[in-house]
């Protein structure tokens, strides 16, 4: 009977199969014989990708390098003997939720999720710790001291004497930060779907380096945009007020998005309020369009200037399809088609716009006229104009050829393309979180409303898993809850957060930050919770989920605001510290059970799910079969029994259920013959079942 590995996959072996697809990092820029730039393969880096030890590669080429890069690459590929253990007491709706909260180092988490979520994540958003020039929390096993950095980078000789007079004082911290983020991005890319996206928040300190790393990991051709998020002016700045951050947006495959004709649009802010007022007036006035137009005009006039709907006051005209505004009917940019458009009253051709008609053919123009989307003026001496409805009707489109689709049950209003500049005062997020938690426990949380709108925009109505492996204050979780509640989308979320001790942060914090951290410690102590950041994250998720569920929501929303809490821990298998020839005959029975003391059957089940590449939110039922406790996962995708003794009747009963997979403890079979008999039972009754042991 084949045994499960029970540790994370060795990605080095997997990398050999598809170099070009899996390793955009090995594509670099070199020079041909004539000195012209050309795309080449970095064979040193390719060897490193496929190696289980660090490879030296002295060849110079155009790329981002720093002391520690090869170690970081090695760290991304090396397997770990760890697992995820379920924590029911910290979970919300453990048995039904599709969301995950993982507590532990995100490098370990990303490795452990490689089998179960490879190519399944639709959107990743991360807000990694910014490089402040101090030591990082995410040090990993390959971090280095200042002395090690200086030796590697050639700033000191073998005896420690400085070789350069004027070094970059914080160069080590750039290298630390790059070494931290690099393997995490490489692992994250593997989790993305082919049409998936990653959004990364960053500030000025590492934006240039992050852009180059992301170009290397995701491919420069897959860069989508760099957004600027302005959060407010700092009046105490000495030179310029730097109150902005950036959001880098990369696609797993921008070519695939283009091939599918993907376009991102968002509903115009305020459009929903205009439609709601129109609906109210339609119910009040019936078919009297003029009365509706009069009252809607008054409603626009009464709006304060701060209301987004005020901007769209031109949508005050009314017909049977609702509010509309006039739009130019000329060809964008000029040099458009010229043909006759006859005025319905005078019978003469209308004046042609200087830029030509917007519609490429006379037939398309006539189709628009029949739809009632072209409005003629009093006579033919002026060109007509076209209607643009707040809720575009079937056949009304900015682009030709998109006109015959039926409208959906949902009210689809006028849309716009987002710009690359966002403005939202940072204090709005601080006030919201203080109101939600009852006190201030985070200093600089991201704004969940803005992220919710951004997620909705790039997801473009699609369902899919959303992931954040720097969960921090839990803003991504609340943003996803908010988005799904508004839109009815189904987007399970996976969050990862290090249980970073607040007391350690308190020791180095200053000013307002120190006060906030001290407040957070008191907040958790009052609730008898461990004083670390991940506990605050879980509390925020629970509170924001309850608020989302209690508010107004889309009828298609699943109302899933729970999460399965999982903790990263060492493998469930016992450590073997002695070779067979060191074990005496009288000691053999002490080593028959390969499971560590204190590990539960549910612990073993989740490690099996990881090893078999099954999603960690599958439904789990605990049943009694032939007197044994048995886990039935997703109606037979997996059946597991980890009892220390397994009788033949149990094996036959499980085989009769014909599961896709079955697993037992290796030590539960008294003899090798019993194990062989169990395999034969499955061969006879359920030959398609994949049977393994741990």
């Amino acid at each position: 009977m084949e045994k499960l590995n029970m540790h994370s996959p060795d990605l080095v072996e997997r990398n050999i199969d598809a170099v070009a697809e899996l390793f955009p990092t090995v594509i670099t820029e070199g020079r041909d014989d004539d000195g012209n730039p050309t795309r080449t393969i970095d064979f040193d880096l390719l060897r490193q990708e496929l190696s289980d030890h660090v490879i030296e590669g002295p060849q110079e080429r155009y790329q981002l390098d720093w002391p520690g890069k090869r170690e970081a690459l090695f760290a991304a590929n090396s397997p770990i003997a760890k697992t995820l253990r379920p924590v029911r007491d910290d979970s919300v709706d453990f048995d039904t939720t599709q969301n995950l909260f993982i507590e532990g180092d995100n490098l370990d988490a990303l490795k452990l999720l490689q089998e179960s979520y490879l190519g399944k994540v639709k959107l990743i958003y991360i807000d990694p710790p910014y490089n402040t020039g101090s030591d990082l929390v995410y040090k990993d096993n390959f971090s280095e001291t200042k002395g090690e950095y200086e030796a590697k980078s050639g700033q000191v000789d073998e005896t420690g004497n400085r070789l350069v007079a004027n070094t970059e004082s914080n160069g080590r911290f750039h290298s630390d930060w790059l070494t931290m983020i690099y393997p995490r991005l490489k692992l994250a890319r593997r989790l993305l779907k082919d049409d998936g996206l990653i959004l990364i928040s960053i500030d000025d300190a590492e934006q240039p380096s992050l852009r180059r790393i992301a170009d290397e990991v995701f491919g420069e051709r897959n860069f989508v945009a760099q957004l600027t998020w302005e959060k407010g002016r700092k009046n105490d700045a000495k030179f310029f007020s730097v109150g902005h951050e950036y959001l880098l947006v990369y696609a797993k495959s921008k070519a695939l998005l283009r091939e599918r004709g993907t376009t991102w649009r968002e509903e115009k802010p305020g459009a929903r309020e205009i439609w709601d007022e129109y609906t109210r007036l339609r119910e009040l006035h019936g078919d009297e369009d003029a009365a509706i137009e009069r009252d809607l005009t008054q409603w626009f006039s009464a709006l304060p200037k701060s209301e987004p709907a005020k901007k769209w006051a031109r949508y005050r005209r009314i017909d049977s399809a609702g509010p509309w505004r006039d739009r130019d009917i000329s060809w964008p940019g000029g040099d458009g088609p010229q043909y006759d458009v006859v005025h319905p009253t005078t019978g003469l051709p209308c004046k042609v716009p200087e830029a030509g008609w917007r519609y490429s053919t006379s037939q398309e123009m006539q189709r628009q006229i029949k739809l009632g989307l072209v409005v003629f003026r009093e006579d033919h001496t002026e060109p007509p104009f076209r209607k643009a409805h707040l809720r575009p009707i079937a056949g009304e489109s900015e682009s030709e050829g998109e006109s015959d689709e039926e409208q959906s049950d949902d009210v689809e209003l006028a849309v716009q393309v987002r710009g690359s500049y966002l403005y939202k005062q940072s204090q709005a997020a601080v006030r919201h979180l203080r109101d939600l938690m009852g006190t201030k426990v985070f200093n600089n949380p991201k704004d969940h409303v803005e992220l919710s709108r951004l997620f909705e925009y790039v997801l473009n109505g699609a369902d899919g898993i959303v992931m954040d492996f720097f969960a921090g204050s839990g803003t991504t979780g609340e943003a996803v809850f908010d988005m799904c509640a508004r839109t009815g989308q189904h987007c399970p979320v996976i969050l990862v957060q290090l249980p970073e001790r607040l007391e350690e942060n308190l020791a180095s914090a200053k000013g307002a930050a120190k006060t906030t951290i001290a407040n957070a410690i008191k907040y958790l102590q009052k609730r008898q919770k461990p004083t670390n950041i991940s506990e605050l994250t879980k509390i925020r998720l629970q509170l924001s989920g309850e608020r989302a569920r209690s508010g107004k929501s889309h009828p298609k929303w699943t109302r899933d605001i729970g999460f399965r809490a999982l903790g990263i821990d060492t493998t469930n298998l016992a450590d073997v510290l002695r070779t067979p020839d060191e074990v005496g005959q009288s000691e053999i029975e002490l080593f028959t059970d390969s499971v560590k003391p204190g590990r539960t059957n549910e612990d073993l089940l989740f490690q099996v799910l990881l090893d078999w590449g099954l999603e960690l939110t599958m439904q789990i039922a605990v049943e009694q079969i032939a007197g044994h406790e048995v886990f039935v996962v997703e109606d037979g995708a997996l059946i597991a029994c980890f009892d220390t003794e397994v009788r033949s009747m149990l094996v036959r009963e499980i085989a009769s259920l014909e599961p896709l997979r079955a697993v037992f403890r290796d030590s539960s079979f008294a003899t090798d013959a019993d194990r062989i008999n169990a395999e034969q039972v499955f061969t006879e009754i359920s030959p398609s079942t994949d049977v393994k042991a741990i």
Side-chain angles (χ1 to χ4, degrees), residues 60 159 184 190 192 210 228 246-247 306 317 330 341-342 364 376 394 535 559 568 576 588 590 622 643:
E60 293 183 350
T159 60
R184 289 164 172 84
R190 293 169 176 144
L192 281 176
L210 178 62
T228 302
Y246 302 100
L247 265 167
S306 59
R317 307 288 294 276
S330 60
V341 177
V342 177
E364 177 62 23
F376 288 90
E535 292 297 328
R559 304 178 70 78
I568 298 176
V576 179
I588 289 179
L590 299 176
V622 182
D643 287 356

Side-chain angles (χ1 to χ4, degrees), residues 4 7 9 14 83-84 98 100 102 109 111-118 120 191 465 494 564 566 604-620 631-640 642 659-663 690 692:
L4 291 167
H7 61 68
R14 176 177 290 165
T83 189
L84 293 172
Q98 294 293 300
L100 292 176
I102 299 173
K111 289 185 177 186
L112 291 169
L113 297 175
Q114 288 296 303
E115 292 284 354
S116 297
Y117 293 93
L118 181 69
K120 294 182 178 180
L191 297 179
I465 297 172
I494 300 175
R564 277 186 179 176
L566 306 171
L604 296 177
L605 176 65
F606 272 81
Q607 188 158 356
V608 168
L609 292 176
L610 286 171
D611 201 71
W612 234 317
L614 300 177
E615 293 187 14
L616 302 178
T617 54
M618 283 186 164
Q619 299 300 302
I620 301 169
F631 294 98
V632 180
V633 179
E634 206 75 18
D635 296 326
L638 167 68
I639 294 183
F642 302 113
L660 294 177
R661 307 167 186 84
V663 64
D690 190 1
K692 293 186 179 182

